[in-house]
Amino acid sequence: MQQPELDATEAPEVGELTPPTRTLMGPGPSDVHPRVLRAMSTPLVGHLDPSFIDIMDDTQELLRYAFRTDNKWTIPVSGTGSASMEAAIGNLVEPGETMLVPTNGYFGGRMAEMARRAGGDVVEVDAPWGEPLDPVDVQAAFDEHQPDVFGFVHAETSTGVRQPDVPELTSIAHDHDAYVIADCVTSLGGVPLKVDDWDIDAAYSGPQKCLSCPPGASPLTLNDRAMDKVLSREEPTRSWYLDLSLLEGYWGEERAYHHTAPVTNVYALREALRLVADEGIESRWARHRETAGALKAGVEAMGLEMNAADEYWLPSLNAVRVPAGVDDGAVIADLLDGYDLEIASGLGDLEGEIFRIGCMGHSARPANVSLLVAALGQTLSEHGADVDVGAGVEATAERL
């Protein structure tokens, strides 16, 4: 089909913004709390305004609470979660150093790609998609490769697996004098995460998952050991924008200009983190576990299978096996068209094999879970799956 010719001299006719109202139960973003939306609509100030400096201080203090850390170097990186990911890896992996990464999910692969672009050599510790890393395998990989940096995914968004044994993994790394980077994109504010107690050197996250905040300012924390490495690099990191030795001047005591921070995104993150503090971090972890537990009970009573075993099930991201003979894409499309309900399909090795159903932040509410179980069951039934919708709805109701 021939495209019409464009005339840049004419103003485009674009109507008022009217996005649909969705219930977001996919792998992110999650539903945003009204308080966060209100915070984003408040007046803009300059990124070096004294009032914004106070807002920066508040945001850093609240981030430390959510990460369960006293790390001085705890900041929101200007950008999505991938920006905080690249800031951690790009600053801690120096050219010629070796980084150990996992193979058990999509985001371990992204770690590997970022490490290579930073000039690092990548080695892998293997585990099947849908299973966590085994500390025995991590120990063997360290003994063989002696990596300088070890990255792992605490909550693997592509498989619905939560990594247990975190202190055991960090202990292995530190016994070999390696630095530990933790991907906490789908765990911060949703499932237990204790950066200091677990001896994690650097951890990054995204705001749009369990914090229920629009993307744009992404959490990152580094302990003194990690920041000392950043500040003592022989050559600067390859990214000027994400160079933590430069960002330190803005987010540290000096508050010197580096770039124009996304002011409204920082407003949003501050308010989202206030909601975390108001609820209490442990109560928030419990809410996610209980609400997602009702979802899990419902889909299992319906006759569906979870991708992850119970001992490493991830409450914030529920990976549900697609029934045989069912087109996952058609089901997802029907849920969106018929119920304004968003879930997602699998990635990588699990493409077409799982539904990825989030239960995160403001989306982790009884009404959302009840809608999800009933709508998913009805839609699967319409697509010929052998599911007991009534049993699923009843099991969910009993847990909510």
Side-chain angles (χ1 to χ4, degrees):
M1 179 178 176
Q2 186 175 3
Q3 296 294 320
E5 292 187 9
L6 299 178
D7 184 353
T9 63
E10 293 186 7
E13 295 183 7
V14 177
E16 183 180 352
L17 180 66
T18 56
T21 301
R22 308 287 200 198
T23 299
L24 301 177
M25 298 293 285
S30 58
D31 289 343
V32 176
H33 195 284
R35 275 176 46 180
V36 176
L37 294 175
R38 285 198 299 271
M40 295 185 75
S41 67
T42 54
L44 197 70
V45 297
H47 61 286
L48 293 173
D49 188 295
S51 67
F52 189 64
I53 302 301
D54 292 337
I55 291 168
M56 293 166 70
D57 290 339
D58 292 343
T59 305
Q60 290 180 277
E61 183 179 359
L62 289 162
L63 275 175
R64 293 185 187 103
Y65 174 73
F67 271 123
R68 312 309 295 137
T69 185
D70 292 325
N71 287 344
K72 177 182 179 181
W73 308 110
T74 303
I75 67 171
V77 176
S78 299
T80 64
S82 293
S84 59
M85 181 182 195
E86 190 151 27
I89 295 171
N91 281 270
L92 283 174
V93 177
E94 299 185 57
E97 291 188 336
T98 299
M99 182 173 181
L100 179 66
V101 301
T103 64
N104 62 335
Y106 183 88
F107 292 97
R110 184 171 293 184
M111 277 187 162
E113 176 63 20
M114 289 184 179
R116 292 189 187 100
R117 291 185 180 218
D121 298 319
V122 171
V123 294
E124 296 175 333
V125 53
D126 292 326
W129 281 50
E131 295 184 18
L133 296 179
D134 188 329
V136 173
D137 295 333
V138 173
Q139 180 70 63
F142 265 96
D143 292 342
E144 179 180 357
H145 300 291
Q146 298 298 319
D148 302 285
V149 179
F150 168 50
F152 75 94
V153 181
H154 181 223
E156 180 51 78
T157 316
S158 64
T159 63
V161 169
R162 175 185 51 82
Q163 176 65 47
D165 312 313
V166 171
E168 191 171 354
L169 299 186
T170 60
S171 177
I172 293 168
H174 291 143
D175 285 347
H176 289 75
D177 201 29
Y179 294 82
V180 177
I181 300 176
D183 181 318
C184 304
V185 169
T186 309
S187 57
L188 179 65
V191 299
L193 168 66
K194 302 177 181 180
V195 166
D196 286 0
D197 287 353
W198 294 353
D199 209 12
I200 296 168
D201 295 300
Y204 59 83
S205 189
Q208 75 278 13
K209 307 276 189 173
C210 297
L211 299 182
S212 285
C213 178
S218 299
L220 174 67
T221 186
L222 294 89
N223 61 19
D224 287 343
R225 177 174 181 261
M227 197 63 186
D228 286 346
K229 184 179 194 297
V230 172
L231 296 176
S232 63
R233 288 176 60 112
E234 293 186 2
E235 60 180 85
T237 182
R238 295 181 178 182
S239 171
W240 179 89
Y241 184 66
L242 298 175
D243 186 340
L244 293 176
S245 70
L246 300 178
L247 288 174
E248 181 271 336
Y250 180 55
W251 284 98
E253 295 178 1
E254 188 179 354
R255 300 301 194 199
Y257 171 72
H258 176 261
H259 69 279
T260 302
V263 173
T264 53
N265 289 102
V266 176
Y267 289 175
L269 182 60
R270 178 183 180 275
E271 191 62 22
L273 291 165
R274 282 188 68 228
L275 286 163
V276 174
D278 289 349
E279 184 174 7
I281 191 66
E282 293 188 356
S283 296
R284 193 176 182 91
W285 294 339
R287 171 169 64 83
H288 280 78
R289 184 176 61 251
E290 291 163 5
T291 309
L295 189 158
K296 180 173 180 289
V299 297
E300 289 179 333
M302 194 184 300
L304 303 177
E305 297 180 10
M306 302 295 291
N307 186 58
D310 288 348
E311 58 265 33
Y312 37 83
W313 161 64
L314 175 59
S316 49
L317 195 287
N318 297 267
V320 178
R321 304 292 302 182
V322 177
V326 170
D327 181 339
D328 62 313
V331 170
I332 291 167
D334 284 355
L335 287 171
L336 198 63
D337 291 341
Y339 298 90
D340 281 317
L341 176 63
E342 179 183 275
I343 66 171
S345 57
L347 293 172
D349 289 1
L350 293 176
E351 183 178 357
E353 296 187 16
I354 62 171
F355 297 115
R356 292 187 297 146
I357 303 172
C359 193
M360 299 183 286
H362 192 52
S363 288
R365 290 177 286 159
N368 284 10
V369 170
S370 295
L371 169 65
L372 181 282
V373 172
L376 178 62
Q378 180 62 34
T379 304
L380 285 171
S381 179
E382 292 169 358
H383 282 263
D386 182 15
V387 290
D388 188 335
V389 182
V393 170
E394 183 178 351
T396 299
E398 289 175 355
R399 295 286 295 271
L400 291 174

